[in-house]
Amino acid sequence: IIVPCPVCENTSGKGLFYFKMQKAFASLAKTYRPLYHKKKYQEEKSMIITLKDGSKKEYAQAMSIIDIARDISEGLARVACAGEVNGETEDLRTVIDKDCELNILTAKDEAGLAALRHTASHVMAQAIKRLYPSAKLAIGPSIADGFYYDIDFETPITAEDLEKIEAEMKKIIKEALPLERFTLPREEALALMKEKEEPYKVELIEDLPEGEEISFYKQGEFTDLCAGPHLMNTKEVGKAYKLTSIAGAYWRGNEHNKMLTRIYATAFAKKEELEAYLTMIEEAKKRDHRKLGKELGLFMMHEAGPGFPFFLPKGMVLKNTLLEYWREIHKKAGYVEISTPVILNRSLWETSGHWDHYKDSMYTTVIDDQDYAIKPMNCPGGVLVYASEPRSYRDLPLRMGELGLVHRHEKSGQLHGLMRVRCFTQDDAHIFMTPEQIKDEIKGVAQLIDSVYKLFGFKYHVELSTRPEDSMGSDEDWELATEGLRGALNDLGLDYVVNEGDGAFYGPKIDFHLTDSIGRTWQCGTIQLDMQLPQRFELEYTGADGEKHRPIMIHRVAFGSIERFIGILIEHFAGAFPTWLAPVQVKVLPISDKHLEYGQKVLDTLNAAGIRAEIDTRAEKIGYKIREAQMQKIPYMLVVGAKEEEENLVSVRSRFAGDEGQKSLDEFVASVTEEIATRARREVVKEEN
């Protein structure tokens, strides 16, 4: 019989230790053999792999990540997408030959799902090359919601062609082609891509540094320049993929280069996840702020100023209502409001560091033979206000808020409604403080941002971003600033993730990523701790000891860009804003011309109470008027006819509950006034079947 080794439990005869013996000697072997096995095993082992759960695996030889996954569990190997070795994402084919920490990534992990999608992009590219052999491939990365590939087609394709590409992808996936990774020296890599007539790949290789490892992945007849990681074969991509849209994209994002065709797509591990995503996409299309902004008369764009939004009367009501709320909460929180110039001279931007770090995104001009720049940020102006008079420690913290208009040179291909514009209002605030006040001030800002997001029904998560490569300041300053932010988050008990190297060039930051009603995330609020600008502008305050000291500075926004936040709100609420925020809160609907006079009386009463109201005086049927008001997402409709006029009543229809019956005008005014004053959000009542 085969008796398993008591140390390694191997019975196969192929492992390190095993032995065959008569049953009678089995117990004797268990007693004495372990001492030999244990010694021999320790002599031959060469590495220890520490897994995510803290358990350890010992191996006597180098092992690939996929083989380690198989050793742990065949089930794990089947769903493995990539590996994380000492915090770095690696391909499943990567061979490990020394001690390390290893996490096997599946599609449930962000990096694992990215590997699945990256493989799907190669499958899509292979399908395209089969269908359109003359097509030239550019780049095809995974992105937040899926993947894309930029392609130079000889004959332009249309959305109708996507189904044909999907069908070919299905064949490739069924073929279960193994993905094989190989590397080539630079000259051989160039020769290969020239032979395959892929000019964009040639250009990418030529731009790689000398000595850089140039890797490729091959699947069947298809080979692509790629760093990976990838799944083991095409079958593992599965059935949950979809080509979603076609767009134009300049090669390398440069508008002077050729326009390529970008095919967007997505992929998931399960069909249910794909279906949920596609449902969300359809819902997002209905909520598109550009479409609703036009239908609701909120804003417009014009070719006279691409990227520069025009706010229409109703849009200005919405914007001003948000700004009134902003002013109210900041006054309560101890902020003073300032306003600084839109154009300032070059020397200011050189001192601030923006001229060196941000010049490509700034609009510049010349005035009286001097260089000037339109401000892309409000902070240098706020610094000048602080420096305009002597400051004492008794003045600190000094919280200065500014609704400042800023301009940034965004590329035309990146413009997107209100979400990405060239001119926007930033709800900035700059707080000047002593080092001892850092933690409390950050906590105060975080609590203010929390209250804003809760008002609109947003959930959010927090990221702490640390020092980037392109930064200024000493290691000591960055350490103090980063630990100040980290300490405040810990004190508040906020869960957060660390985003290494993504801080501003002048300091670390906390970013708030809010989640809207259909599950999309948006980065809006931010808190940035800055010890550099106070040094650059030689800011001072007189301390309790009578000596001069340098203040610490916080940059922070709650909304971020007011314009972008409005775009987010339009899509979050699908244009159906809470009553306090709605441009038109009540629509008065006379049943006929006979009741116009009473309708006007109702309108006057509403306006006198501070309620934003309109009257529909058209000679249309009441059903038509109601539908029109519903299309405009108006919270309340007041139908008035003979009975309402006789008894000073209004028949109330709401966006929330439909027909709410008759109420006295005074009762309705009181309830809506209370709803507006408290900024309440009424939920839509769903009728039971």
Side-chain angles (χ1 to χ4, degrees), residues 526-561:
T526 186
I527 307 172
Q528 301 172 358
L529 195 55
D530 185 0
M531 304 178 78
Q532 310 310 318
L533 281 189
Q535 290 182 15
R536 284 176 164 254
F537 284 91
E538 299 181 348
L539 302 184
E540 295 179 338
Y541 67 90
T542 303
D545 58 1
E547 300 296 322
K548 297 294 184 183
H549 299 273
R550 191 82 69 206
I552 309 296
M553 183 178 180
I554 285 177
H555 309 250
R556 50 108 292 194
V557 294
F559 294 140
S561 154

Side-chain angles (χ1 to χ4, degrees), residues 325 328 455 580 671-681:
Y325 165 65
E328 178 187 314
L455 176 68
W580 72 273
S671 66
V672 173
T673 302
E674 173 70 10
E675 184 183 336
I676 293 169
T678 58
R679 299 189 176 94
R681 282 186 294 114

Side-chain angles (χ1 to χ4, degrees), residues 11 16 88 96 163 254 256 263 278 364 445 688:
T11 63
L16 292 175
E88 296 293 325
I96 298 175
E163 285 187 19
N254 187 331
H256 300 296
I263 301 179
L278 295 177
T364 59
V445 173
E688 295 184 6

Side-chain angles (χ1 to χ4, degrees), residues 228-239:
H230 282 289
L231 306 183
M232 297 302 293
N233 66 70
T234 59
K235 186 177 181 180
E236 293 176 8
V237 170
K239 301 177 181 179

Side-chain angles (χ1 to χ4, degrees), residues 145-394:
D145 294 326
F147 60 94
Y148 69 80
Y149 218 116
D150 288 346
I151 300 162
D152 187 356
F153 285 97
E154 195 170 70
T155 303
I157 67 167
T158 64
E160 286 69 36
D161 295 311
L162 297 185
E163 285 187 19
K164 186 165 62 172
I165 298 171
E166 280 185 4
E168 192 63 35
M169 288 176 67
K170 185 177 180 180
K171 294 178 185 176
I172 294 168
I173 291 168
K174 192 174 181 180
E175 289 170 19
L177 302 172
L179 277 84
E180 303 167 17
R181 183 180 185 274
F182 65 93
T183 61
L184 290 175
R186 185 187 188 85
E187 292 308 314
E188 290 183 34
L190 286 169
L192 176 63
M193 289 295 100
K194 287 176 181 176
E195 179 189 339
K196 290 184 175 294
E197 298 181 349
E198 295 289 0
Y200 299 101
K201 303 294 183 181
V202 169
E203 186 176 331
L204 290 171
I205 294 170
E206 288 174 340
D207 287 348
L208 291 174
E210 290 288 344
E212 183 89 359
E213 181 181 70
I214 301 173
S215 61
F216 296 84
Y217 280 82
K218 181 179 184 298
Q219 57 199 60
E221 82 288 353
F222 178 74
T223 299
D224 203 354
L225 171 72
C226 186
H230 282 289
L231 306 183
M232 297 302 293
N233 66 70
T234 59
K235 186 177 181 180
E236 293 176 8
V237 170
K239 301 177 181 179
Y241 60 91
K242 182 70 178 174
L243 309 193
T244 54
S245 63
I246 293 178
Y250 292 111
W251 168 233
R252 294 192 150 180
N254 187 331
E255 58 195 63
H256 300 296
N257 288 339
K258 185 172 183 178
M259 176 74 78
L260 306 178
T261 299
R262 175 170 293 180
I263 301 179
Y264 283 102
T266 193
F268 291 87
K270 298 178 181 178
K271 272 196 169 182
E272 310 88 81
E273 295 171 336
L274 174 64
E275 288 167 3
Y277 173 78
L278 295 177
T279 299
M280 186 267 287
I281 291 296
E282 286 305 308
E283 184 62 26
K285 288 178 182 177
K286 297 175 190 174
R287 294 167 179 258
D288 190 320
H289 75 285
R290 295 166 298 178
K291 172 177 170 285
L292 289 173
K294 183 177 181 180
E295 291 174 357
L296 301 178
L298 301 176
F299 71 94
M300 70 176 210
M301 295 295 184
H302 197 278
E303 60 184 12
F308 298 93
F310 290 71
F311 275 89
L312 306 177
K314 289 180 180 177
M316 277 307 297
V317 171
L318 173 60
K319 185 176 181 180
N320 285 333
T321 303
L322 275 176
L323 298 186
E324 288 164 10
Y325 165 65
W326 185 93
R327 288 190 167 100
E328 178 187 314
I329 60 175
H330 282 77
K331 185 176 181 181
K332 288 179 181 177
Y335 288 77
V336 294
E337 187 175 354
I338 64 170
S339 178
T340 62
V342 172
I343 298 179
L344 294 164
N345 68 24
R346 173 176 174 169
S347 63
L348 175 80
W349 302 110
E350 288 177 332
T351 303
S352 70
H354 288 90
W355 196 267
D356 293 330
H357 293 269
Y358 209 76
K359 185 175 180 294
D360 290 344
S361 296
M362 296 167 68
Y363 293 107
T364 59
T365 187
V366 176
I367 303 174
D368 296 334
D369 298 325
Q370 287 190 34
D371 290 331
Y372 279 74
I374 301 174
K375 66 177 179 181
M377 300 175 185
N378 297 306
C379 31
V383 167
L384 295 184
V385 172
Y386 177 91
S388 64
E389 60 182 273
R391 305 289 179 178
S392 161
Y393 73 96
R394 299 180 188 276

Side-chain angles (χ1 to χ4, degrees), residues 53-74:
D53 62 1
S55 63
K56 299 181 186 298
K57 302 285 287 185
E58 298 185 9
Y59 297 100
Q61 67 282 322
M63 297 271 281
S64 68
I65 293 174
I66 189 62
D67 285 337
I68 294 173
R70 288 193 187 103
D71 184 57
I72 297 169
S73 157
E74 283 294 340

